[in-house]
Each structure stands twice: as C-alpha cells, then as structure tokens.
Amino acid sequence: MKINFWNLQDMNVAERERIMNRAEADIGRAIEVVRPIIADVKARGDAALIDYAAKFDGARITGGLKARDEDFARAYKRLDSAVAEAIRALAANVRRHHEQQMERVEPFWLGETAPGVYAGEKITAIDSVGLYVPRGKGAFPSVMYMLCLPAKIARVEKIIVCTPPSPDGGFDDASLVAADICGVRDVYMAGGAQAIAALAYGTESIPPVVQVNGPGNAYVAAAKRILGRIVNPGLPSGPSEAIILADGSADSWNTTLDLINEAEHGSDSASLLVTDSAELAKDVAAHLPDVIAMLPQQRRKFCEDVFSGYGGIIVCQNMADAIDFCNDYAVEHLLLKTRNANDVVARLRNCGEILIGESTPIALANFGAGVNAVLPTGRMARSYDCTSVWSFLKRTSVSYATRDGLNGLRATAEILARYEGFDGHALALRERRDAQPSDFQIPAHA
C-alpha cells in the first residue's frame, strides 16, 4: 500500500497547500450538489426528507420522522445490555466534565469601570438548537451524548436531534438509548444536507432552530455554509482529522494504532504523524500495513485512502519545526507523545484538543474521558473553540450607571460624540433631565 512520506523541509508549496487544505476541496465541490437539495427541503418539507432517505440511505420511512415512545422502548429492549451500560458509564464522565464547566459560568456579573459606572455580562442559553448525529459510516451514540449533554447542562430549552435512518427505515437503538440517557426525546430521522435544511427552515414535523451543531461529511459541511445566513451553523465540524505529534520517546506500535484512529472514519479524513524522529517514522511506516490489515474491509479501504490522500508521515528537522507545523495545520485532535510535554503543551496554540501521553489515546477521549470529541476541523481550530457548554450559551452585555456615574462621564462622552459627528448622541448626554433613578440592585460581588 502507498503511504505518503514527506520531509517537511522538502515539501513544495503545492504539497503543503494540499495537506493544509485537506477535505476543504471536497466541501467546495459539494456546495453545488447541495444547493438543490436545500431548496427542495424548503419547498416540500417532510416529503423531500422521506424521498432523500430512500435515495441516499436506502430507507423506506413509513412510521413518521419523529421517534415515538415505542421506538425508545424497543431500543432498550433490543440493545445489548453491555452496550447500554457502556454508554451510561462513558456519558457520565462527559456529563461530569460539562457540569464542571457550567460551575465556572457566572450567570450575571458587573464590574465598576469608573466611579458609579458598571459593565458586565448576562449569560443565557440559546433558545433552540438542532443537533446532527451522523450515521453514514456507522452508528455513533457517542456523538449523541457529546452533543446532547452540554446542551442540556447549558439549559437549552428546545433540543432537536436529526440522525439518518437505518436501511429498514428505523432508528439506531444505541443512539436512541444515548439520547434518552441525556434526557432528550425529540429525535428525528433525517440525514445529510437535507437534515441541516430541515433544521434551518423547519418542516411539517421538524421545528426550525436558531443554531445547528454536530459533525458530518462534506455535504453536511457544505449545507451549513450555504445556510449560514438562516441558522447559526455552529462550529465547523467536517471530515475527521488527527495529528500524532511525537518524538523518539514514543512507542512506535502504539503510535501506529493511534494513527489509524481518525483515518478509519472515511476516505476524506486526515491522519498525520508529525515527528522529528526519522527512526520513529520508519518504524510506524513499517507497522502501518500490518495494523491496517487487522481491520474489516471497509475500514481498511478508508485507511488506505487516507494514507495515500490527506494523511501520512511528516519528518521535521527538529521539534520546533514540528510544533510550528501543527500550529499552522490547526488540527481537530492532537495526541502529544514527547519528552518535556509541559513545555510542548505551552507552545501549542491551534488545535481542537490536546491529549497527552501514551495512556490518553484519541480512542479514549472520543468515547468517555470527559472532554468533548466534537471539535473544529479544516484549520478552524485557529479561531473556534471545542464543543462545550459555551457552545450553547451566549453573552449579553449589561451596563448600569448611577446618577453620579452619568454626571462624571457625560461631558467626556459628549466630546467624542461631537468628534464622530453624532449630534443626537451629544444632545442626549447634554440635555437629559435629572430623573427618578432605577431601582436596580448591583450584584453583591461588583
């Protein structure tokens, strides 16, 4: 099998640009494919979703799009109890992490900025969110609780989930159980770009929302871009990507296992070993065909495509160059295996998550270490956060001035108002009357 192998200093501009862009080219091509699908869902609603389920998922939906009580009951009955308990146990770690985040959220605060003048924030949950749980290459109950739990903990009032149907026109049992464990019951059968359109515009069955969150393929990512003026598309979370940043201290066999983690998601994924150790690179390249051969055929094909496509091994002259490359790449998942890990962590700026050491594989974090596995992709970790309770909260600025505070600042503010040509602003400051003060009480900590 072909494995991309580069020396960083020898990469030409075209090679580097292709690796940096990864699946963005696929998303660009998908946009024109997706436009008519979005228009069709807007025009025909549920009927379009049912038709696309048959066309893209091979599913004949006859019992309605929304999960019913009997669907949840059937899911619990059919799902292996060990799987249900694994979901419950791993989701508990994710719940605990996001509850700890919420404990650090101050719902309302004010600080004094000048005598008698206060400025602060009020934190509130987004009114409604649509969560997209993909299914095209498998069922992902872990994505269900990664999305539902922070939304519930943030106290979002309306949580809607869309997830593709199975070929028999039903729901994935494990995903329904995961949703129920999270306390979410509004789950609908709809996948791909058509699901994003349904969440944006609403249909007869699916109510519209103000924000959409969740990972997906190039078509889902393309739909979010097109609909960005209709609905907040949330963090950009497209095809999976990972970097293993390692030096010669890393275990080559474990590193090979970690390298296939995101590669097995799909042919459009990206998985890179970035290292300053030529020996580690050589050993991993030797192990990789054997490890990939252990996988089922479909996953094996995905990995082969990735390591001859957007993935591979990059050898750098030193760790400083390796870190610089990682910061430029801004990867979704970064697994760090180096000496002086604290120093390296301090120098890493752009990544969705940092996992530290041989005992913290991506596979552990993806399911239940506690951190959220829904992360920004496509270099967007340069400016986007990981999924957290903050993904479902919004800040509102709050200000309050006492009578003395106003009087102390208004002449100064009037000067700038006049300079900027806002005569009405100046008038409102200069000519206002001394009126009854507000009965607002300043929070005790201000």
Side-chain angles (χ1 to χ4, degrees):
M1 63 172 283
K2 179 188 174 186
I3 302 171
N4 290 329
F5 200 110
W6 299 278
N7 287 301
L8 182 63
Q9 69 271 19
D10 296 331
M11 290 179 76
N12 62 42
V13 172
E15 287 174 328
R16 187 179 178 107
E17 185 175 309
R18 184 174 183 280
I19 293 304
M20 286 292 172
N21 288 340
R22 53 267 208 197
E24 289 303 295
D26 300 327
I27 293 169
R29 287 189 291 267
I31 284 176
E32 293 311 311
V33 176
V34 161
R35 286 190 192 280
I37 296 172
I38 290 172
D40 192 24
V41 173
K42 182 181 180 183
R44 296 198 299 126
D46 284 357
L49 295 177
I50 290 168
D51 288 348
Y52 288 123
K55 180 177 180 179
F56 297 131
D57 303 306
R60 184 168 176 265
I61 298 176
T62 58
L65 297 174
K66 186 177 181 181
R68 302 159 296 183
D69 289 345
E70 52 264 41
D71 294 314
F72 284 97
R74 187 184 308 114
Y76 273 102
K77 184 175 180 180
R78 294 193 306 202
L79 187 64
D80 186 303
S81 60
V83 176
E85 285 308 307
I87 291 171
R88 197 178 300 278
L90 295 168
N93 295 340
V94 177
R95 183 191 301 274
R96 195 169 298 115
H97 171 64
H98 291 89
E99 286 174 343
Q100 289 168 352
Q101 288 178 339
M102 198 65 184
E103 289 169 4
R104 290 161 171 78
V105 174
E106 193 165 0
F108 183 38
W109 64 271
L110 288 172
E112 195 169 24
T113 56
V117 179
Y118 299 83
E121 293 176 330
K122 183 177 186 293
I123 311 300
T124 53
I126 293 168
D127 289 340
S128 59
V129 298
L131 307 178
Y132 183 72
V133 178
R135 194 174 172 188
K137 297 156 187 162
F140 305 115
S142 61
V143 177
M144 184 71 79
Y145 60 74
M146 291 286 179
L147 292 171
C148 289
L149 285 172
K152 288 290 287 186
I153 291 165
R155 302 186 185 94
V156 174
E157 189 172 320
K158 183 194 293 184
I159 300 173
I160 307 297
V161 176
C162 281
T163 188
S166 57
D168 65 2
F171 292 91
D172 170 57
D173 292 334
S175 295
L176 279 190
V177 168
D180 188 60
I181 287 171
C182 297
V184 173
R185 303 277 289 196
D186 290 334
V187 183
Y188 296 84
M189 275 190 284
Q194 58 271 27
I196 308 303
L199 291 167
Y201 291 116
T203 71
E204 298 89 336
S205 298
I206 301 173
V209 296
V210 299
Q211 179 173 301
V212 175
N213 294 72
N217 61 18
Y219 299 102
V220 170
K224 287 183 181 181
R225 290 189 187 178
I226 293 170
L227 291 163
R229 293 186 178 183
I230 307 299
V231 64
N232 181 339
L235 90 167
S237 188
S240 298
E241 53 189 54
I243 282 178
I244 318 300
L245 175 58
D247 61 18
S249 68
D251 182 281
S252 63
W253 178 254
N254 287 346
T255 300
T256 309
L257 296 174
D258 293 327
L259 198 56
I260 67 168
N261 200 98
E262 298 307 292
E264 73 164 337
H265 276 262
S267 299
D268 53 1
S269 296
S271 185
L272 293 167
L273 169 62
V274 179
T275 181
D276 63 350
S277 170
E279 184 177 354
L280 176 67
K282 178 183 173 183
D283 289 347
V284 169
H287 291 318
L288 203 50
D290 295 333
V291 171
I292 291 173
M294 299 177 185
L295 298 173
Q297 193 277 330
Q298 184 190 44
R299 302 294 171 183
R300 187 164 64 244
K301 175 66 165 58
F302 290 156
C303 288
E304 289 170 351
D305 290 345
V306 167
F307 292 117
S308 62
Y310 301 127
I313 298 171
I314 298 177
V315 179
C316 306
Q317 287 186 307
N318 51 59
M319 187 51 58
D321 286 349
I323 293 169
D324 286 345
F325 175 85
C326 291
N327 281 328
D328 195 16
Y329 190 95
V331 74
E332 178 186 18
H333 308 275
L334 189 143
L335 174 54
L336 177 65
K337 302 182 178 190
T338 65
R339 306 174 189 89
N340 305 314
N342 289 82
D343 293 339
V344 177
V345 168
R347 294 160 66 189
L348 289 169
R349 301 188 313 278
N350 302 327
C351 35
E353 70 176 358
I354 302 170
L355 309 174
I356 303 168
E358 293 283 2
S359 299
T360 319
I362 298 170
L364 181 69
N366 271 358
F367 296 117
V371 293
N372 204 294
V374 179
L375 304 164
T377 62
R379 297 185 84 187
M380 297 308 262
R382 291 178 296 176
S383 60
Y384 278 84
D385 301 332
C386 57
T387 295
S388 69
V389 294
W390 282 107
S391 304
F392 304 98
L393 296 169
K394 54 187 175 65
R395 294 176 171 94
T396 300
S397 292
V398 179
S399 185
Y400 168 70
T402 64
R403 182 181 294 155
D404 289 343
L406 168 64
N407 290 334
L409 268 188
R410 65 178 175 178
T412 305
E414 184 185 348
I415 292 170
L416 200 57
R418 289 196 177 282
Y419 176 82
E420 293 190 0
F422 290 113
D423 296 319
H425 286 60
L427 195 67
L429 289 164
R430 188 182 68 249
E431 299 296 334
R432 69 186 313 101
R433 297 185 299 195
D434 190 13
Q436 181 69 27
S438 170
D439 63 357
F440 176 71
Q441 299 295 309
I442 301 167
H445 66 272

